[in-house]
Amino acid sequence: MTPDSLGAMLAGFLDGSRAAVVVEDGAVVFDLADAKYSISGEYNKCLIHFWSSERNVVRRVLDAEVKGSALRLQVQRMGQNRPTRLDICRDRDQRSPAARRAARLAYVPRLRRALERNFPGWTVARMTTAIDLERSFGPAYLRGWMRKGQRALAIVGVNDEETQATVDGALTCGILWLAACRLAEPLRRVVEGLVLVVPRGAAALTAQRMAHLDPAAAKWRLNEFDQREDSLVRMELADCGNLATRLVRAVDEAEVMARFGASIRRIQSILPPTEVVVLSPAEISFRHCGLEFAQARLAHDPRNFQVGEEIVFGVGAEERVLDEHNDADFANLVHLAAKVRNKGGPKNHALWRMRPERWLESIVGANIAALDGRLVPEHVYRQVPAFSAADRAMIDVLAMTRTNRLAVIELKADEDIHLPLQGVDYWSRVWWHQDRGEFARFGYFPGRQIAAEKPLLMLVAPAFHVHPSTDTILRYFSPEIEWELLGIDEHWREELKVVFRKRGRDSMAPVVGCRTA
């Protein structure tokens, strides 16, 4: 195995994958959405290096082959002679369809018994994992309802073998299932609310989201189910006000730009319209139409422990340090990105399709007033870290209106059923920090006094790519969240133009419990 052949094989394998992971010893050790990798040929050996903020590993690669949805590498650990296996998988869930189906079927009677024990006097009337594409219900979510006289509760459960991403999507399914139950016929019972059941220890993000739903629209109940102990424990949503979240201090961009002036001049001499984005005091990103192709950063020289500046390049998870041996490769990548990554580029090319949200984000960040005339262009923060105990993500755009009110902007270039609740995640974290005066203390929005109003939530997607369920989910939001749904023209790469705008206070009727069988 040579570095070139492994690099070509891995690049082709990962093309189009959005959820690739690295698995070793049966455990996921890296998520390639966040981690990076590099391939080198030091000491006449093919080495692959994976790293993230949490860990890094280096393995010698002896052989590689594609097996189904996994690229299997025969590797050697440093200092060991015995080969081991390392898998790069397109998807985190590597179970076979038969194993998934068996786990979901076995979950049904167990959850039924737990519900009947914990809800005395209620009868579990129906449970199903059948696919319902018309209403966006997949087999990972067990759906049902239970009754007590003229009262009813909708039920959605997720077994403990599903991925955390599936668990985090359960509330979206739950809201849609509640709405479906209320619309079902014949009309005989009042569906009072939703009972959502998730695995033990996996409820943090769902609890934060559920705390921001309208208590007048439905009764919201969240439970954790320990399948080993066969116990069902109710989570108190009132405890979700204390978010485990932290804000990263705003960076002095002018100072960082000056620090990396030589690297900026070097890159822009190859591609003048290169966009420079400050990531931290020690790192900047070079992008073209939202596609990152290089970074400049401060790095320690292991030979003398001095700090120096280096440029790394690559797209996706791959990364290489720029030196005299690969300077031509770097120039070719930059010219290819410039040729492909533009509004008239070839739509079937991988670089044109890659990271569409980042492309949209770059357009919105450069022309925020085209999205909404109330937003001021002087204070626009992109990819603001939004860390919490539940997950780590980035707020697409954080902006401010002319009346000094914060605006949280969540962008989607493609249809996404989870857009509304992802927006709630970021809105809740921004409000948490705003309420404690942390934006001013950490250097955001200098010279502006942030208004006391709660932030405005703006959800943005191409008009024909707004998921049909979006209106239903928004109808159950708490009145404390003032939201706007903006549909933009499908040709947003050519011109950013809003074609429709829907506001909660204008379009949402009150939600009441309907009667159903």
Side-chain angles (χ1 to χ4, degrees), residues 26-298:
V28 174
V29 290
F30 293 101
D31 185 336
L32 291 182
D34 304 313
K36 294 283 189 179
Y37 76 86
S38 66
I39 299 170
S40 63
E42 298 177 24
Y43 311 111
N44 295 319
K45 298 177 181 178
C46 179
L47 302 179
I48 188 165
H49 180 195
F50 294 99
W51 69 95
S52 68
S53 59
E54 300 173 347
R55 62 173 67 90
N56 74 87
V57 301
V58 178
R59 299 287 183 264
R60 179 185 179 185
V61 181
L62 305 176
D63 198 7
E65 63 174 338
V66 176
K67 285 284 189 179
S69 61
L71 176 61
R72 293 185 176 177
L73 305 181
Q74 186 182 36
V75 301
Q76 276 184 333
R77 299 172 188 257
M78 297 298 106
Q80 296 185 11
N81 294 324
R82 181 180 170 183
T84 60
R85 200 178 93 186
L86 182 146
D87 290 348
I88 302 173
C89 307
R90 291 184 183 275
D91 195 283
R92 180 178 286 267
D93 189 350
Q94 290 302 297
R95 295 175 297 164
S96 68
R100 292 185 191 135
R101 186 165 54 252
R104 292 162 182 170
L105 290 175
Y107 179 69
V108 177
R110 301 189 69 172
L111 182 58
R112 179 188 291 272
R113 290 192 299 269
L115 289 169
E116 290 174 343
R117 283 197 310 271
N118 286 269
F119 289 81
W122 289 79
T123 301
V124 179
R126 179 195 176 196
M127 303 284 263
T128 181
T129 58
I131 298 175
D132 186 344
L133 297 179
E134 182 180 351
R135 293 186 287 188
S136 302
F137 297 137
Y141 301 111
L142 174 62
R143 308 178 305 281
W145 56 277
M146 54 187 176
R147 63 172 183 262
K148 184 178 184 181
Q150 295 301 307
R151 301 163 60 195
L153 289 170
I155 302 166
V156 167
V158 187
N159 73 73
D160 59 9
E161 292 191 31
E162 304 295 343
T163 65
Q164 185 62 48
T166 300
V167 174
D168 293 342
L171 184 54
T172 295
C173 177
I175 294 172
L176 297 178
W177 178 243
L178 170 63
C181 288
R182 287 178 163 179
L183 292 174
E185 295 184 20
L187 306 179
R188 291 205 304 266
R189 292 185 177 87
V190 176
V191 183
E192 298 178 339
L194 171 69
V195 177
L196 187 63
V197 182
V198 300
R200 179 183 178 183
L205 183 61
T206 302
Q208 291 175 15
R209 291 174 170 180
M210 193 175 277
H212 293 289
L213 299 180
D214 188 354
K219 295 179 179 178
W220 308 103
R221 179 161 177 171
L222 178 62
N223 295 268
E224 287 191 339
F225 183 34
D226 187 335
Q227 292 182 226
R228 292 185 178 182
E229 300 292 333
D230 214 23
S231 62
L232 196 66
V233 179
R234 182 169 182 175
M235 309 296 292
E236 293 299 331
L237 299 181
D239 297 336
C240 298
N242 295 319
L243 291 180
T245 178
R246 63 184 176 88
L247 187 66
V248 176
R249 181 170 294 277
V251 179
D252 185 335
E253 295 195 359
E255 179 183 320
V256 177
M257 292 282 203
R259 179 178 303 139
F260 289 99
S263 295
I264 293 173
R265 289 190 292 273
R266 179 178 181 181
I267 302 300
Q268 290 186 335
S269 68
I270 303 173
L271 184 61
T274 295
E275 179 184 11
V276 181
V277 178
V278 175
L279 302 178
S280 74
E283 192 174 27
I284 61 174
S285 171
F286 297 103
R287 302 175 185 176
H288 181 64
C289 294
L291 178 68
E292 180 181 271
F293 60 85
Q295 288 185 2
R297 63 194 182 197
L298 300 181

Side-chain angles (χ1 to χ4, degrees), residues 379-395:
H379 297 288
V380 178
Y381 297 92
R382 295 162 49 187
Q383 294 295 303
V384 180
F387 298 113
S388 81
D391 70 337
R392 295 178 298 172
M394 296 284 184
I395 301 169

